[in-house]
């Protein structure tokens, strides 16, 4: 995979632990999370309806949608609780010199 | 002989219960008996995305028939109209008999009907199931002036959807605010304002005296002598638990089927879950009845565990939502038992929440905001109230402070 697929999101201290930030790139939108064991990224929009997960609650490894409490596993994207039933897409993340990068395909 | 588990009523609580029994019990026969000839489906979209044509029938089912087949769960389309608890049998009109060892009742709730001129009964439409949603959708397609009787959640959701279909909507509500007294007046007023901004007429504090039909137009006469002309009438005036079947039995009824925190009714081996059950809630130390998606799911799961012999107490903090236009309203806990009310925010773009506290412990909260804006704080509120956490009301009322701070780890 070529280097340019890695997109810089921001510095590691821009996200508090057990929290997330929204990251928009071109016409796509993502959520980038900081969990106790590192950084993760998923699509920004819930798979149930068109609501951004940036306002959701991060608990352990899960993100809960702020609209109807659909729950996804942040690391695998798996939809864990209805009304969400379609998995969330996840993206690889790396940290280099205190900067977070995500790989968008 | 195998153990027979029967689930009466084939809605949301039923399907979650059935799957949970199967998780814990691979042996027993599990059969769902359902009046509706449809696999269990989600009702919330009926008044929202289904009317708006954003979701179709196939999007509504919880699971495909394959899932039920794989888990060996039978689903039968049948209306039960007699029960014999003593001999553990259920009967249909034609005297077909179903015997059970354990029974879960999850018959849900039914809409209250308007008591007006009997000749007009067929002219007033109600929304509870997919069939009715399809009928309403089809019938309104060539109508432009529609009246909703009742300004509760379902009536207002229908009003929001129909208005988005570019039709003129009038809502007539008997009370002096929308959505009943449980919702803070300030939030009811914000919802009302949004409806009006979208062109809906909201009439409060008015009773219907008479409805008459002239050609294809209805005239609704209100108690102030005003007259509303309309082409189609939908009523959403509340619901009652579906318990008629049990009225002359030993089953203890009181605003639904009375159950304890284990979903057990007054009769051994008979359980109840979902809208139909008036259950003991250990957190509030009293019985409550809820009509909500989250409750039907979690209560069904809890009943399933108990039926399978895994004794489990039900103590979920109540939570429900309503979506109207671009607004999302959320309600958690109980909002009718408090000594202090705290307001957070004053703008729906960032979300407005009212917290109800007793002795500095949050008992409930109601929030309104454009989509997504109140969910996180409402969820944190549920967690705080579940743990009976004493909270600093300064933080609650200060929008600049994150509520996660209040959660004790
Ligand atoms: C239009 C609408 C919109 C809603 N929107 C929301 C929302 O936005 N948010 C929210 O939290 N909640 C919402 N709800 C509430 C939520 O859908 C219900 O609380 C939930 O469906 C209750 O599940 P249940 O299993 O208890 O009952 P139900 O899903 O109602 O299932 C009961 C089933 O039992 C069947 N039955 C009854 N008697 C018999 C019998 N004698 N024999 C055989 N079958 C029988 C019924 O036909 C029905 O199919 C909405 C409800 C409706 C109707
Ligand atoms: S929009 Fe996310 S669960 Fe409904």
């Amino acid at each position: 995979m070529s280097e340019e697929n890695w997109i810089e999101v921001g510095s590691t201290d821009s996200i508090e632990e057990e929290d997330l930030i929204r990251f928009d790139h071109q016409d796509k939108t993502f959520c980038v999370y900081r969990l106790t064991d590192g950084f993760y990224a998923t699509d920004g929009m819930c798979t149930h309806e068109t609501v951004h997960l940036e306002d959701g609650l991060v608990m352990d490894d899960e993100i809960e949608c702020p609209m109807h409490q659909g729950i996804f596993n942040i690391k695998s994207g798996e939809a864990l609780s209805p009304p969400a039933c379609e998995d969330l897409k996840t993206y690889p993340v790396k940290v280099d010199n205190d900067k977070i990068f995500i790989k968008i395909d | 002989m195998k153990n027979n588990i029967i689930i009466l009523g084939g809605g949301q609580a039923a399907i979650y219960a059935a799957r949970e029994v199967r998780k814990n019990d691979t042996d027993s026969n599990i059969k769902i008996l359902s009046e509706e000839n449809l696999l269990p489906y989600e009702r919330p979209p009926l008044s929202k995305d289904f009317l708006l044509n954003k979701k179709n029938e196939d999007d509504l089912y919880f699971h495909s028939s394959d899932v039920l087949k794989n888990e060996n769960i039978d689903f039968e389309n049948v209306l039960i109209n007699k029960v014999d608890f003593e001999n553990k049998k259920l009967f249909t009109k034609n005297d077909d008999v179903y015997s059970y060892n354990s029974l879960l009742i999850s018959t849900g709730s039914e809409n209250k009907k308007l008591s007006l001129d009997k000749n007009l009964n067929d002219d007033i439409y109600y929304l509870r199931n997919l069939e009715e949603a399809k009928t309403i959708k089809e019938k309104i397609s060539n109508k432009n002036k529609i009246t909703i009787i009742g300004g509760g959640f379902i009536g207002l959701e229908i009003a929001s959807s129909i208005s988005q279909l570019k039709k003129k909507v009038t809502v007539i509500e008997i009370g002096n605010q929308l959505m009943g007294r449980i919702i803070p007046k300030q939030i009811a007023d914000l919802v009302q304002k949004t409806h009006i901004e979208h062109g809906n007429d909201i009439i409060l504090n008015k009773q219907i005296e008479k409805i008459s039909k002239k050609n294809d137009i209805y005239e609704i006469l209100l108690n102030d002598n005003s007259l509303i002309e309309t082409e189609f009438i939908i009523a959403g005036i509340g619901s009652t638990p579906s318990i008629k079947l049990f009225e002359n039995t030993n089953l203890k009824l009181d605003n639904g089927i009375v159950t304890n925190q284990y979903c057990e009714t007054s009769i051994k081996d008979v359980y109840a879950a979902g809208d139909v059950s008036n259950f003991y809630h250990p957190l509030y130390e009293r019985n409550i009845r809820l009509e909500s998606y989250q409750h039907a799911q979690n209560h069904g799961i809890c009943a399933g565990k108990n039926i399978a012999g895994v004794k489990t107490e039900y103590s979920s903090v109540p939570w429900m939502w309503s979506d109207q236009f671009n607004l999302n309203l959320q309600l958690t806990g109980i909002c009718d038992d408090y000594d202090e009310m705290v307001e957070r925010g004053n703008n729906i773009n960032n979300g407005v929440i009212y917290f109800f506290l007793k002795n500095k412990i949050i008992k409930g909260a109601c929030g309104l905001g454009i989509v997504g804006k109140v969910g996180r704080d409402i969820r944190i509120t549920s967690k705080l109230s579940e743990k009976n956490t004493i909270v600093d009301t300064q933080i609650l009322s200060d929008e600049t402070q994150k509520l996660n701070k209040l959660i004790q780890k």
Side-chain angles (χ1 to χ4, degrees):
Chain A
M1 307 240 173
S2 67
E3 272 302 303
E4 55 270 20
N5 282 346
W6 288 98
I7 313 287
E8 186 180 329
V9 173
S11 68
T12 48
D13 56 14
S14 63
I15 319 179
E16 289 175 33
E17 197 166 298
E18 282 230 327
D19 208 350
L20 83 168
I21 55 165
R22 171 184 177 143
F23 173 64
D24 294 333
H25 179 71
Q26 290 164 353
D27 57 349
K28 293 187 89 182
T29 180
F30 306 88
C31 285
V32 183
Y33 310 80
R34 180 179 197 156
L35 303 182
T36 44
D37 63 353
F39 294 87
Y40 297 88
T42 68
D43 263 341
M45 301 307 264
C46 182
T47 58
H48 179 234
E49 283 172 20
T50 40
V51 174
H52 211 289
L53 293 168
E54 65 175 321
D55 294 313
L57 182 63
V58 178
M59 288 170 299
D60 303 322
D61 290 353
E62 294 166 8
I63 171 76
E64 187 178 276
C65 173
M67 187 91 159
H68 308 125
Q69 296 190 354
I71 300 176
F72 302 91
N73 181 297
I74 292 168
K75 295 179 179 175
S76 66
E78 190 189 350
L80 300 172
S81 179
C85 51
E86 199 181 309
D87 294 349
L88 199 59
K89 195 166 167 19
T90 58
Y91 299 87
V93 180
K94 71 173 182 184
V95 173
D96 198 357
N97 271 330
D98 293 333
K99 290 208 162 56
I100 310 165
F101 297 83
I102 66 172
K103 188 149 88 182
I104 302 169
D105 39 33
Chain B
M1 277 271 279
K2 272 200 179 183
N3 191 43
N4 276 332
I5 297 169
I6 289 197
I7 300 179
L8 174 58
Q12 184 170 10
I15 187 66
Y16 279 94
R19 297 196 69 201
E20 193 63 27
V21 172
R22 186 52 86 224
K23 252 193 215 162
N24 295 283
D25 170 353
T26 45
D27 267 3
S28 295
N29 294 322
I30 306 174
K31 191 189 274 285
I32 299 176
L33 302 178
S34 170
E35 175 187 3
E36 286 184 77
N37 192 14
L38 296 165
L39 290 179
Y41 60 90
E42 296 187 304
R43 290 178 205 272
L46 296 182
S47 49
K48 313 174 188 82
D49 282 0
F50 184 77
L51 281 187
L52 280 167
N53 300 313
K54 286 190 191 165
K55 278 198 174 150
N56 59 42
E57 179 170 340
D58 290 343
D59 300 323
L60 305 185
Y61 295 103
F62 286 108
H63 303 290
S64 65
S65 53
D66 288 349
V67 170
L68 274 78
K69 209 188 272 164
N70 287 342
E71 298 184 10
N72 200 8
I73 296 168
D74 282 346
F75 184 90
E76 209 173 308
N77 169 219
V78 60
L79 173 66
I80 292 300
N81 71 353
K82 204 173 96 194
V83 278
D84 175 355
F85 287 122
E86 209 168 313
N87 296 301
K88 297 192 159 184
K89 286 184 185 344
L90 308 176
F91 301 88
T92 64
K93 194 168 71 190
N94 308 326
D95 273 339
D96 291 334
V97 187
Y98 296 85
S99 298
Y100 63 82
N101 300 98
S102 303
L103 172 69
L104 171 66
I105 303 171
S106 52
T107 46
S109 45
E110 48 202 68
N111 291 325
K112 285 188 189 162
K113 299 279 157 81
L114 279 173
S115 49
L116 289 160
D117 184 350
K118 279 207 178 67
N119 295 328
L120 287 174
N121 278 354
D122 292 343
D123 292 64
I124 294 172
Y125 290 81
Y126 298 85
L127 179 56
R128 167 90 11 211
N129 58 43
L130 184 58
E131 238 3 85
E132 291 166 338
K134 281 185 189 166
T135 306
I136 289 176
K137 202 151 99 168
E138 188 207 309
K139 298 255 178 198
I140 61 171
S141 62
N142 61 350
K143 308 274 191 295
N144 289 311
K145 279 167 88 177
I146 291 159
T147 296
I148 315 283
I149 302 177
F153 291 123
I154 291 182
L156 291 173
E157 287 177 358
I158 299 172
S160 148
S161 301
I162 293 184
S163 149
Q164 291 173 70
L165 296 173
K166 305 276 175 286
K167 296 173 192 293
K168 177 71 195 167
V169 180
T170 304
V171 178
I172 305 171
E173 163 59 40
I174 196 169
N176 61 7
Q177 69 163 71
L178 295 174
M179 298 175 291
R181 278 168 301 156
I182 211 86
I183 300 296
K185 173 91 168 59
Q186 297 88 332
I187 285 194
D189 289 348
L190 289 169
V191 169
Q192 180 172 344
K193 190 166 161 255
T194 302
H195 276 263
I196 292 169
E197 280 166 5
H198 284 86
N200 289 355
D201 283 341
I202 306 278
I203 301 174
L204 296 176
N205 264 321
K206 294 285 178 302
Q207 225 160 322
I208 294 169
E209 293 287 325
K210 197 174 164 215
I211 301 180
S212 36
K213 189 176 180 182
K214 285 190 188 137
N215 301 322
D216 278 340
I217 301 289
Y218 300 92
E219 285 184 351
I220 305 176
L221 176 69
L222 301 180
N223 57 343
D224 62 351
N225 277 329
S226 56
L227 205 59
I228 294 160
E229 282 196 351
T230 192
E231 292 168 276
F232 195 78
I233 303 174
I234 304 169
I237 54 166
S239 49
T240 52
S242 300
I243 50 171
K244 273 192 211 86
L245 195 53
F246 317 108
E247 268 162 7
N248 296 312
T249 70
N250 288 336
L251 189 65
K252 189 168 175 201
L253 305 174
D254 175 17
N255 178 32
I257 300 172
V258 178
T259 58
N260 63 13
Q261 60 270 51
Y262 306 107
C263 308
E264 295 164 338
T265 69
S266 60
I267 295 177
K268 192 169 176 303
D269 300 327
V270 179
Y271 301 76
D275 281 11
V276 78
S277 139
N278 185 8
F279 64 99
Y280 179 79
H281 199 301
L283 193 58
Y284 311 116
E285 297 178 330
R286 61 169 159 117
N287 279 58
I288 56 176
R289 192 173 79 78
L290 300 170
E291 291 178 8
S292 97
Y293 183 95
Q294 172 244 27
H295 170 64
Q297 171 186 317
N298 294 344
H299 210 208
I301 291 173
C302 183
K305 284 195 164 69
N306 283 300
I307 292 168
V310 184
K311 190 104 179 164
T312 309
E313 182 179 83
Y314 185 72
S315 59
S316 286
V317 173
W319 174 76
M320 61 89 60
W321 82 87
S322 172
D323 297 331
Q324 298 166 40
F325 297 106
N326 64 342
L327 295 178
N328 172 240
L329 181 151
Q330 298 195 12
L331 203 55
T332 186
I334 50 169
C335 304
D336 60 352
D337 182 23
Y338 60 95
D339 55 30
E340 190 180 356
M341 187 169 93
V342 176
E343 183 185 10
R344 180 181 176 89
N346 54 17
N347 177 334
I348 48 172
N349 292 322
N350 302 322
V352 182
I353 300 182
Y354 288 85
F355 300 94
F356 301 94
L357 298 95
K358 201 168 180 183
N359 303 324
K360 301 278 175 219
I361 292 170
I362 302 179
K363 291 288 166 191
C366 177
L368 179 76
I370 58 161
V371 288
K373 288 301 171 195
V374 294
R376 175 165 37 196
D377 286 347
I378 289 284
R379 185 69 170 104
I380 294 171
T381 305
S382 309
K383 285 175 171 290
L384 293 168
S385 91
E386 190 173 20
K387 298 207 167 85
N388 280 321
T389 314
I390 301 220
V391 295
D392 178 350
T393 49
Q394 288 282 340
I395 298 183
L396 280 188
S397 62
D398 181 354
E399 259 189 301
T400 63
Q401 302 211 47
K402 282 191 172 179
L403 293 190
N404 327 21
K405 281 188 192 163
L406 296 167
I407 296 184
Q408 292 157 0
K409 290 232 166 168

